[in-house]
């Protein structure tokens, strides 16, 4: 039972506010929530907060806060699931989820909420059922994107990228306008992998963790059956062996409930009738030994200049992925290092990471304390360096076995049909 | 957030809404209405255009209708008289041929939330319940609940309830679930909807037709059903088996809870279910949604309390990744700490050691405390790691390591030697109060094994003038006196200086008193000092810092899949207490208004005692001591005259209680040690007429309440009541002090 639902922008402005039951508080709850969230002590979790007989439960999704309040002791799993489902639904109907799209489509969002929740109870969240009741059309505005230009080659020549649809192609509303009959029967299939890798100073891998999923965004008329064939050498679990070569192996795999697995055992075929909108067809996990080498290599080098008392760390990252793949969020952080120093400089000063690559100018935002610049699409080699002053003149390496372990992650490669698989 | 110049905006919109040109153009009209809605969301008061919006509701454009109804539901409580004007349109829409319009109108009309609307909505709701479109029936069923809540605490309409019960057999699954929700609200005062055998079996059969939200909710309703026989129980469990494999975590957890509760007499079934839920929980723990991950981790911890080692083979899943937010990392460290066993201890410690040098000081300290927790079982390895950490000479690390050592030496005396060897040198890197206290305590208690202990303490004595924390000074006094007993030659001089400083120059009264006390104690003689100061150095059996024993699954099964594990049990107790106090606040002014400040209880209670004869005509006789045998005999022979439950959280300290009760002339016959579960105390008192009051206090482990049972050998209600109020006050006072 939900009392209120609201969407806040990252700055705390209410974008959507709906009171379902009128039983608690006024409109200021949204402000109250934001104040509570920002003033929370570090060790408390913001997921569930309590104020004056009212529980706030929220998720953060593409820099928006989706919040529900309730006065009952409800199931947190169901509520969080509902919130993420709402986020997906809004994304499906508005094209994409973001501050701009929400405020452009206020009427549509309210209409959706009205059908999804009545008196704080979930009625339905299926895209199919909802589309009968939704009358408002989504307002889409295409922002000018340099990416579109980049797919046009010199003098109109065809480039690598023009063969692949631009990544923004999938971000349009599921419900195209009724007058527009030219709806294309399209399906977008993304393989998204998150890699967390821990690399020792000598370059050997200490820990590898891959979490991948196959995401499907379908604009096909519903009811159409779809078959996704994986390679027949796809093995699940450590012991299974298929085919002759090393095969492709994952540790665990789970499917969406609408996937028919009749042919999975024999031919590795997933059958499904996808509803319109976005759907995670399959999730898989893989840890420790990877079947293939990492898509990037890291060359660390540490130099300590005795004279000036400075420590120079060079991290050279070489990406072996083809350049057309997109790496949206890549971060390198050297987590495992406590360079013991005397009082004046409090934390290891690797926050001064600067890229020193030649031609490109990647964005590097050094975050204080964390030392994790995020890079733009990385291809080819790139070098990062840092300087750290050591006032006491001698950096004592911590007596741990891996003094310069470097932590790289999570970099994720996404793009149609590209992955380790 | 009222904007400046909101009146201008209202005026402008009003003008636009009235403009016939705009009204003629459907799109422009709709755009203006959309602007009203947008301002409304931003918090501007748009109630000024209510009249114009009511007019806009009479349209064929369904989008416009929806927007106007949304507006009306928001502002109807402010403008009830104007809202009545819209009722006509709404009623007309309720008989529109289009089911979507009918549903919309009925839903909006029921959501108007203004007085006087009930008489208009009753008939449309009744019609809606029999509508042929399931969409309208869904709306009408929930409309019943809305109507009931609008009435306030009025009586339940029996015919309507029967109608709703019969609608449980409706074809549409959402109507069925809505019926349950609606009945639950209408019958709230009578304990909610009744789930009897036919209904339970009907719901079980319909389960597969429901969507995930319906399934999760029905599973929750089924918790109320008590199967008649073991056979039926296992039939139900078999039926529900497939829901443990659902892809929705909400359904899986709902099913798990139902299994745990239904099978509360079959521990092997419970264990089996918890094994099966492992997969979904672990998947949620590594889910992309941090919020879901956090909630799952909280539940994992809950399970680990009962089944330690349940997740041991999956320890790697709980390793932190650097990009996770702080609150998830802290949970993961706690989980790691609880699932160590002989096989994985090496890897877990290795990982935790990595966290100790994390850039976030808070997280690093949490990791060190976690190693300290593991050290209670795997002492040697952990002490070695902690000693290595001291070598880093980082301030925030050293202080926590020393605090961990202090706790460890107390619980595991066998590691004292190693700790004593590690200590020298770390005094340079401790600046905060907690760390200093820990170090000084260690130096004082185990000073004879640390060669340079006196010299370290001497440094502290030298700098005592610039010391800012009184607690450190107190600790220093005690430690130095202790060390003086074992190494008098090295300490005598500085002890003299410290005592002189504390007595002559110190401004803090507590420190000065402590100094004076020790000075006088020394005057009495060294044997007396030894008797008082050399308490046992460690006694693990005291169990103060030890983990609570394993809790049975049944103690938390009812909390599973609720907010309780997410908040943590202690926090939840305060939350529910706040809510409880709000609810029964006016009825219990005694406990709440009685806000005595801590150290003043004895006097405070004496005053009360003097007042009592006037108020309750109850005079308890002092020093009326019963023997335990006599108490037991009388207790067994009498019936309970009064039973009561008081909110209570945490531990009783027997001494405090005994002292407080003594003041009001209630004797303690027997009392459990602090921390035992269930905790009990037996009390007796006698008034001037010879009437005996025998009392039992009982703290059950699972609930945060104290049960008080009073027996009386002569049945007299007025004295009984005043006795109980005395007891309540005493207990209330103790709780005040505690919190």
């Amino acid at each position: 039972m939900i009392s209120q639902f609201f969407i806040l922008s990252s700055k705390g402005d209410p974008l959507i506010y709906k009171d379902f039951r009128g039983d608690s508080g006024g409109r200021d709850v949204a402000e109250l929530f934001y104040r509570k969230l920002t003033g929370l002590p570090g060790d408390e979790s913001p997921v569930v907060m309590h104020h004056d007989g009212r529980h706030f439960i929220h998720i953060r999704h593409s820099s928006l806060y989706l919040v529900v309040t309730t006065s009952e002791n409800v199931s947190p799993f169901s509520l969080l699931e509902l919130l993420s489902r709402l986020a997906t639904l809004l994304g499906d109907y508005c094209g994409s989820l973001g501050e701009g799209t929400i405020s452009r489509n206020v009427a549509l969002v309210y209409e959706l909420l009205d059908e999804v929740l009545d008196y704080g109870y979930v009625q339905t969240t299926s895209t199919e059922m909802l589309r009968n009741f939704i009358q408002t059309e989504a307002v889409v505005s295409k922002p000018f994107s340099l990416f579109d230009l980049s797919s046009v080659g010199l003098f109109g020549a065809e480039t690598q990228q023009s063969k692949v649809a631009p990544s923004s192609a999938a971000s349009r509303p599921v419900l195209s306008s009724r007058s527009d009959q030219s709806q294309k029967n399209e399906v977008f299939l993304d393989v998204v992998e998150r890699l967390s890798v821990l690399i020792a100073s000598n370059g050997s891998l200490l820990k590898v963790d891959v979490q991948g999923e196959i995401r499907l965004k379908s604009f096909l008329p519903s009811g159409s059956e779809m078959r996704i064939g994986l390679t027949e050498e796809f093995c699940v679990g450590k012991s299974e062996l298929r085919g002759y070569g090393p095969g492709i192996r994952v540790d665990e795999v789970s499917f969406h409930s609408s996937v028919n697995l009749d042919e999975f055992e024999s031919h590795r075929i997933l059958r499904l009738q996808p509803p319109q909108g976005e759907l995670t067809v399959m999730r898989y996990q893989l840890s420790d030994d990877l079947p293939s080498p990492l898509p990037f290599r890291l060359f660390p080098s540490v130099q300590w200049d005795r004279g000036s008392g400075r420590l120079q760390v060079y991290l050279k990252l070489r990406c072996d992925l083809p350049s057309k793949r997109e790496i949206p969020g890549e971060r390198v952080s050297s987590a495992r290092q406590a360079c013991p120093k005397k009082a004046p400089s409090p934390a290891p000063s690797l926050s001064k990471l600067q890229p020193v690559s030649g031609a490109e100018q990647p964005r590097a935002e050094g975050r204080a304390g964390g030392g994790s610049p995020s890079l733009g699409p990385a291809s080819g080699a790139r070098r990062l360096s840092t300087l750290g002053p050591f006032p006491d003149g001698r950096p004592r390496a911590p007596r741990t076995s891996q003094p310069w372990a470097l932590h790289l992650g999570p970099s994720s490669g996404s793009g149609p049909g590209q992955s380790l698989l | 957030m009222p904007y400046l110049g909101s009146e201008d905006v209202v005026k402008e919109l009003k003008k636009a809404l009235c403009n016939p040109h705009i009204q003629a153009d459907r799109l422009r009209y709709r755009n203006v209405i959309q602007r009203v809605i947008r301002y409304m969301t931003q918090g501007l008061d748009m109630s000024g255009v209510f009249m114009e919006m009511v007019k806009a509701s009479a349209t064929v454009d369904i989008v416009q209708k929806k927007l106007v109804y949304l507006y009306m539901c928001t502002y109807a409580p402010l403008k009830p008289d104007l809202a009545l004007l819209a009722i006509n349109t709404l009623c007309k829409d309720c008989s529109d041929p289009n089911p979507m319009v009918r549903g919309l109108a009925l839903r909006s009309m029921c959501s108007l939330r203004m007085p006087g609307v009930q008489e208009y909505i009753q008939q449309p709701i009744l019609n809606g319940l029999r509508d042929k479109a399931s969409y309208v029936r869904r709306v009408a069923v929930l409309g019943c609940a809305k109507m009931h809540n609008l009435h306030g605490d009025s009586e339940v309409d029996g015919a309507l309830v029967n109608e709703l019960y019969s609608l449980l057999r409706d074809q549409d699954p959402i109507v069925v679930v809505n019926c349950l929700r609606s009945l639950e609200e209408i019958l709230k005062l009578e304990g909610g909807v009744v789930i009897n055998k036919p209904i339970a079996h009907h719901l079980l059969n319909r389960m597969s037709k429901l969507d995930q939200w319906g399934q999760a909710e029905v599973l929750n309703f089924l918790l109320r059903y008590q199967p008649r026989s073991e056979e039926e129980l296992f039939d139900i469990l078999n039926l529900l088996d497939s829901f443990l494999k659902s892809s929705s975590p909400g359904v899986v957890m709902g099913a798990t809870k139902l299994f745990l509760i239904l099978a509360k007499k079959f521990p092997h079934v419970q264990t089996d279910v918890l094994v099966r839920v492992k997969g979904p929980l672990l998947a949620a723990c590594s889910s992309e949604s941090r919020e879901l991950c956090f909630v799952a981790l909280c539940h994992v911890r809950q399970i680990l309390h009962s089944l330690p080692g349940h997740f041991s083979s999956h320890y790697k899943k709980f390793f932190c990744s650097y990009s996770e937010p702080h609150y998830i990392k802290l949970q993961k460290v706690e989980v790691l700490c609880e699932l160590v066993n002989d096989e994985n201890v090496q890897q877990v410690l290795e990982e935790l050691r990595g966290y100790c040098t994390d850039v976030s000081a808070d997280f690093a300290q949490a990791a060190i405390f976690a190693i300290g927790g593991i050290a209670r079982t795997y002492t040697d390895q952990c002490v070695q790691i902690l000693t290595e950490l001291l070598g880093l000479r980082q301030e925030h690390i050293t202080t926590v390591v020393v605090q961990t050592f202090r706790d460890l030496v107390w619980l595991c005396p066998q590691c004292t030697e190693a700790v004593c060897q590690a200590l020298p040198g770390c005094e340079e890197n401790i600046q905060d109060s907690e760390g200093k206290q820990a170090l000084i305590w260690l130096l004082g208690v185990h000073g004879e094994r640390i060669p340079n202990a006196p010299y370290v303490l001497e440094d502290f004595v030298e700098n005592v003038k610039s010391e800012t924390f009184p607690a450190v000074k107190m600790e220093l006094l005690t430690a130095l006196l202790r060390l003086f007993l074992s190494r008098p030659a090295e300490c005598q001089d500085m002890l003299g200086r410290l005592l002189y400083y504390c007595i002559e120059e110190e401004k803090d009264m507590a420190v000065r008193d402590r100094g004076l006390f020790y000075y006088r104690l020394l005057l009495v003689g060294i044997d007396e000092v030894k008797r008082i100061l050399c308490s046992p150095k460690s006694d693990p059996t005291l169990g103060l810092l030890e983990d609570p024993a394993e809790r049975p699954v049944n103690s938390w099964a009812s909390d599973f899949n609720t907010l309780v594990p997410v908040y943590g049990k202690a926090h939840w107790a305060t939350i529910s207490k706040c809510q409880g106090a709000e609810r029964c606040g006016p009825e219990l002014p005694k406990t709440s208004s009685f806000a005595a400040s801590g150290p003043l209880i004895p006097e405070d209670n004496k005053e009360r005692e003097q007042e009592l004869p006037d108020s309750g005509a109850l005079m308890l006789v002092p020093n009326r001591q019963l023997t335990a045998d006599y108490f037991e005999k009388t207790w067994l022979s009498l019936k309970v005259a009064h039973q009561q439950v008081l909110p209570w959280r945490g531990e009783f300290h027997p001494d405090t209680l005994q002292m407080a009760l003594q003041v009001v002339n209630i004797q303690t016959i027997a009392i459990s040690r602090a921390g035992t579960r269930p905790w009990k105390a037996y009390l007796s008192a006698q008034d001037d007429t010879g009437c005996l009051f025998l009392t039992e206090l009982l703290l059950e482990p699972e609930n945060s309440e104290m049960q008080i049972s009073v027996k009386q050998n002569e049945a007299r209600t007025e004295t009984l009541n005043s006795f109980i109020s005395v007891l309540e006050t005493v207990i209330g006072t103790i709780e005040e002090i505690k919190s």
Side-chain angles (χ1 to χ4, degrees), chain B residues 474-492:
Chain B
M474 308 256 268
E475 200 62 60
L476 185 60
L477 267 169
T478 315
L480 197 53
L481 195 61
R482 275 204 188 118
L483 196 60
F484 170 70
L485 294 178
S486 53
R487 299 166 80 165
E490 293 154 292
C491 297
Q492 189 173 9

Side-chain angles (χ1 to χ4, degrees), chain B residues 545-672:
Chain B
L545 299 163
E546 287 234 79
D547 299 324
E550 277 177 35
R551 274 182 273 157
V553 175
N554 283 332
S555 69
W556 50 261
S558 57
D559 291 339
F560 195 78
N561 194 23
T562 65
L563 296 177
V564 181
V566 185
Y567 279 116
K569 204 138 190 166
H571 191 183
W572 178 257
T574 36
I575 290 171
S576 43
K577 209 177 125 199
C578 291
Q579 280 170 338
E582 270 163 41
R583 234 176 283 133
C584 57
E587 291 150 45
L588 276 174
K590 191 146 252 160
T591 33
S592 50
S593 67
F594 187 72
S597 56
L600 292 173
I601 11 150
E603 287 135 273
D604 213 42
N605 273 354
K606 261 174 208 142
E607 282 167 26
R608 174 150 291 92
E609 196 202 356
Q610 282 151 10
E611 287 163 22
L612 281 174
D614 315 323
S615 56
L618 172 82
M619 186 67 118
L620 293 179
V621 182
N623 297 329
R624 165 73 206 177
Q625 202 57 269
L626 293 185
T627 63
D629 289 342
Y630 180 74
F631 180 90
E632 196 179 334
K633 233 186 286 162
T634 336
W635 177 261
L636 292 175
S637 67
L638 292 173
K639 273 203 212 105
V640 177
H642 179 91
Q643 206 156 32
Q644 185 176 4
V645 174
L646 285 183
W648 184 267
R649 186 166 59 78
E651 306 294 331
F652 251 122
H653 287 286
D655 298 340
T656 334
L657 179 71
Q658 223 160 344
M659 194 175 75
L661 289 170
Q662 202 85 51
V663 173
V664 289
N665 296 328
I666 299 177
Q667 267 70 40
T668 322
I669 304 291
I671 195 160
S672 316

Side-chain angles (χ1 to χ4, degrees), chain A residues 15 21 27 45 55 60 73 75 81 110-111 115 118-119 121-123 125 133 135 285 331 409, chain B residues 40-41 66 100 135 146 149 178 181 185 212-213 248 250 291 294 317 322 392 561 563 567 579:
Chain A
L15 301 175
R21 299 177 63 89
R27 307 187 46 89
S45 102
H55 307 282
R60 223 191 133 146
N73 188 6
S75 154
E81 215 183 328
Y110 277 122
E111 200 180 353
E115 299 297 341
D118 186 11
Y119 208 41
Y121 294 111
V122 191
Q123 301 298 302
T125 56
F133 300 107
Q135 303 284 326
Q285 285 168 9
R331 285 194 179 148
Chain B
M40 185 179 91
T41 307
K66 283 187 177 179
M100 191 155 68
Y135 181 68
K146 295 181 194 170
N149 285 356
N178 277 356
R181 295 157 168 167
E185 298 226 354
Q212 47 169 324
W213 319 109
S248 142
E291 293 83 7
F294 174 75
K317 296 268 179 206
Y322 93 101
L392 292 177
N561 194 23
L563 296 177
Y567 279 116
Q579 280 170 338

Side-chain angles (χ1 to χ4, degrees), chain A residues 93-378:
Chain A
Y93 274 91
C94 303
S96 62
L97 191 58
E99 204 177 321
T101 40
I102 293 290
S103 52
R104 268 197 298 278
N105 290 297
V106 170
L108 175 64
V109 175
Y110 277 122
E111 200 180 353
L112 258 176
L113 281 179
D114 211 30
E115 299 297 341
V116 170
L117 289 157
D118 186 11
Y119 208 41
Y121 294 111
V122 191
Q123 301 298 302
T124 178
T125 56
S126 106
T127 321
E128 284 318 295
M129 274 168 95
L130 284 169
R131 61 181 294 144
N132 301 324
F133 300 107
I134 303 302
Q135 303 284 326
T136 321
E137 280 162 18
V139 183
V140 196
S141 83
K142 274 247 167 66
F144 173 74
S145 158
L146 272 178
F147 192 82
D148 296 338
L149 283 184
S150 68
S151 60
V152 182
L154 212 59
F155 308 116
E158 201 170 74
T159 56
Q160 267 278 327
Q161 297 207 326
S162 62
K163 287 178 189 157
V164 183
S167 67
S168 58
S171 58
R172 61 183 167 93
V174 171
L175 212 65
S176 72
S177 62
R178 274 152 227 278
S179 53
D180 181 18
Q181 289 304 318
S182 66
Q183 183 174 6
K184 280 188 266 178
N185 284 342
E186 280 180 318
V187 167
F188 294 87
L189 197 67
D190 279 358
V191 178
V192 183
E193 292 193 338
R194 288 191 291 158
L195 271 88
S196 296
V197 188
L198 192 66
I199 304 173
S201 53
N202 58 7
S204 64
L205 298 184
L206 293 175
K207 197 179 118 189
V208 187
D209 194 32
V210 183
Q211 288 176 6
E213 54 189 39
I214 300 183
R215 279 196 209 144
L216 178 76
K217 185 153 183 176
S218 159
F219 294 96
L220 294 175
S222 51
S224 42
E225 193 188 79
M226 177 187 247
R227 289 149 70 93
I228 302 175
L230 304 176
T231 169
E232 291 215 25
E233 290 177 5
F234 183 78
C235 313
V236 181
K238 295 230 189 279
S239 52
E240 199 182 22
L241 197 69
R242 276 170 176 264
Y244 300 105
I248 288 162
R249 192 182 54 76
V250 298
D251 287 348
E252 275 170 56
V253 71
S254 64
F255 300 94
H256 189 264
S257 58
S258 69
V259 179
N260 185 336
L261 293 174
D262 290 347
E263 292 177 64
F264 181 70
E265 270 312 304
S266 52
H267 297 101
R268 295 299 190 215
I269 289 175
L270 313 173
R271 278 199 301 156
L272 70 159
Q273 297 189 339
Q276 289 195 327
E278 204 171 308
L279 176 80
T280 301
V281 178
M282 176 176 126
R283 281 179 215 276
Y284 55 90
Q285 285 168 9
L286 178 58
S287 46
D288 296 335
D289 26 44
L290 287 182
S292 58
L294 281 177
F296 50 79
R297 269 174 292 165
L298 187 72
F299 306 96
S301 92
V302 182
Q303 285 174 2
W304 176 55
D305 184 1
R306 194 176 287 268
S308 62
R310 278 175 169 270
L311 185 72
Q312 292 202 351
V313 181
Y314 288 102
L315 303 175
K316 192 169 161 194
L317 183 71
R318 190 177 171 78
C319 180
D320 299 335
L321 284 175
S323 59
K324 62 175 181 172
R325 295 198 192 188
E326 190 188 337
I327 304 177
E330 179 190 22
R331 285 194 179 148
V332 187
S333 90
S334 44
R336 292 287 178 82
Q337 44 125 30
C339 315
K341 279 166 294 177
K342 279 287 184 183
S345 45
S349 60
L350 255 166
S351 54
K352 290 179 192 152
L353 273 172
Q354 307 164 339
V356 286
S357 75
E360 293 168 276
Q361 269 296 329
R363 278 172 293 128
E365 302 145 15
R367 283 201 311 199
S372 52
S374 62
L375 312 180

Side-chain angles (χ1 to χ4, degrees), chain B residues 321-354:
Chain B
S321 128
Y322 93 101
S323 58
E324 280 165 341
H326 202 61
Y327 56 90
I328 289 188
K329 284 187 181 171
L330 292 181
Q331 286 291 332
K332 283 196 169 170
V333 167
E334 293 278 325
V335 169
L336 278 178
C337 195
E338 281 173 63
L339 51 68
V340 276
N341 61 14
D342 291 348
E343 275 119 59
N344 60 24
V345 64
Q346 206 53 49
Q347 287 86 338
V348 170
L349 283 178
E350 194 70 29
E351 183 73 14
L352 283 174
R353 179 163 70 177

Side-chain angles (χ1 to χ4, degrees), chain B residues 188-200:
Chain B
K188 199 179 220 162
L189 292 177
E190 295 162 31
V193 56
V194 180
I195 306 284
N196 57 19
K197 190 169 172 179
I199 293 182

